[in-house]
Amino acid sequence: MICINEDCECPLYKGKGWDKMTNELLAVKLCELDRRGGKLHGRLLEMEHAPQEVLQQEIEALRRECTENEQMLRNNLRFSRAPSVAVLYQAYIEVEEVLDRLRKQMEQEREENKAAQSGELKEASVRPEIDPVEEKLLLAEYAIDFAMQAADRALLISMEAVQAEGRKPEAQ
């Protein structure tokens, strides 16, 4: 079995189980998850001390990448025979919409707080001041927690699929 990404660094590809996986699709998806996880960690470490201009360019590039990946996911959904996949995707879209509303709300509150502090705004629905950096860090922390939970859930669903495949009679 050959990985789509020939220079794959995941342990499955390095002879530690890749050839033992019976479901090629799951093996490829796990390899991609390992690759992207490593890329995520490396990218964040690299950007932590990067100049603001470089960081802004990387943020914009990542936004484009996210948009492209989302579009590919939408396109792939058209070919899925499982109705449950469409339901799962709809839930993902709803989460993305909530995150977008939250980002806009945080920006609006930040602007209102600035205006209130400078005296430009007489009455504002200003919430008690929370450090915007701390708020973004907390949001990032929990987003990572949710991503880990999603990865664990994906593993559970994968294991259940492997179990179901193992119980399937040979004649089918």
Side-chain angles (χ1 to χ4, degrees), residues 97-111:
E97 289 171 354
V98 166
L99 287 172
D100 189 50
R101 282 194 311 267
L102 181 59
R103 181 187 57 75
K104 288 176 182 173
Q105 178 186 343
M106 287 170 63
E107 182 63 27
Q108 180 181 357
E109 288 174 356
R110 188 176 68 76
E111 292 300 320

Side-chain angles (χ1 to χ4, degrees), residues 106-127 129:
M106 287 170 63
E107 182 63 27
Q108 180 181 357
E109 288 174 356
R110 188 176 68 76
E111 292 300 320
E112 286 176 1
N113 281 339
K114 269 186 179 176
Q117 288 172 354
S118 69
E120 295 173 23
L121 201 57
K122 296 281 186 209
E123 288 191 32
S125 59
V126 180
R127 64 186 170 122
E129 186 62 30

